[in-house]
Every structure is written in C-alpha cells, then in structure tokens.
Amino acid sequence: MNFLFHKKASIYSTKILFILLSAGSLTACVKNVSTPIPSTNSDANAQGLRGTVAADNFTWQTVKPVTITVVPMPVTSNEKLTLEIRTSNDELVFAYRMAMNESVTEKIVVPANATSIKMKYGSIEKSIDIVNNRASLDFSQPIPDQYK
C-alpha cells in the first residue's frame, strides 16, 4: 500500500512540476510593453524622412556613364577576340567579340567613384584612366609581334 501512495504522489508531483514549468515559460514570453521615449526633436518626428536634408554638394549618383573608344590595330587579320572591360575591382561591365581591325565606340556604366577601367583584348591588358567620362584604348601603337 505504501508503494502505491508513493507512486501516486510521484505522479502528482511530476504533474505539478510540469504545470509550474509550463506556466513559467508562458509568462516569460509576455512582452514588456513600455511607453516609448519621446524624441527631443518634434519636427523630425512629425516629418519622418521628409525632414532629412542632404548637404548641397552631396551627389546621389552611384554610377556614371563612360564612353569607351577602341582604336584598332592596323592589321589585315579578321581574327576575332573578346574585348573585356572591368572595373578596378575586377567586375566585368562590358564584353564584345570584335575583329582586330575593328573600331568600337560604346557607352558603359561604371561606379561613380571609378577613376580607371581595365581593358583586355586577347593577351593585351591595359589600365585606362577615365577623363571627362571618356576612356580610349589605342591598339595602333605598338603592335604586338604575334599580330604583325
């Protein structure tokens, strides 16, 4: 008989412990609702982002257009290679399959803070400065031996 009493007491105490833990975990999930701290700048609160003012010299552009010009090699070969144009961070912004004796003028878009671009044509790689939103790659001088 004593054994049955201890078994029932153990079951009841387990149930009570489970109920208490469940109730404790449920009350722990209640959010503490508090009053927000008012801003000292009532105008900014009233206008939201409309009240934000940028400096007069701030530029909103993140990219800029650049006109690239490729002066071809003075060769008679019509062999085509890929012209790749990349940013200084090596991000590809333009690729074009062109013949060695073909001239190209194209507008591309680069990051607004870019001051130079990398141009690669076959095995020829050059870093070209961007001046007045223009960049020119002149293959006419010197001609690599492999293309003579």
Side-chain angles (χ1 to χ4, degrees):
M1 184 83 171
N2 198 13
F3 173 73
L4 286 175
F5 177 74
H6 286 296
K7 190 172 183 181
K8 285 184 179 180
S10 175
I11 291 173
Y12 287 124
S13 63
T14 304
K15 286 182 179 179
I16 290 173
L17 182 64
F18 178 75
I19 291 170
L20 288 174
L21 288 174
S22 296
S25 66
L26 289 175
T27 58
C29 294
V30 174
K31 293 182 180 178
N32 184 9
V33 180
S34 62
T35 307
I37 299 170
S39 172
T40 57
N41 187 350
S42 59
D43 290 340
N45 270 349
Q47 294 181 7
L49 286 178
R50 284 179 249 149
T52 306
V53 178
D56 290 338
N57 63 346
F58 181 76
T59 176
W60 293 93
Q61 288 185 311
T62 58
V63 294
K64 66 180 174 183
V66 174
T67 301
I68 58 161
T69 304
V70 178
V71 179
M73 294 180 199
V75 294
T76 56
S77 171
N78 287 330
E79 180 183 358
K80 290 190 174 195
L81 298 172
T82 301
L83 170 70
E84 290 182 358
I85 300 176
R86 297 179 178 270
T87 63
S88 57
N89 295 336
D90 223 25
E91 177 186 342
L92 182 66
V93 291
F94 180 77
Y96 177 70
R97 191 144 173 88
M98 61 180 274
M100 293 180 189
N101 58 358
E102 180 182 354
S103 64
V104 173
T105 300
E106 192 70 39
K107 283 193 176 191
I108 61 170
V109 176
V110 298
N113 62 348
T115 58
S116 66
I117 53 175
K118 298 176 189 175
M119 291 190 180
K120 179 180 178 185
Y121 184 71
S123 62
I124 303 168
E125 292 184 47
K126 293 186 178 183
S127 179
I128 309 296
D129 289 334
I130 299 172
V131 179
N132 296 327
N133 290 353
R134 296 185 169 280
S136 180
L137 179 60
D138 189 349
F139 284 122
S140 63
Q141 297 290 330
I143 301 170
D145 292 335
Q146 67 204 46
Y147 300 118
K148 289 184 180 180

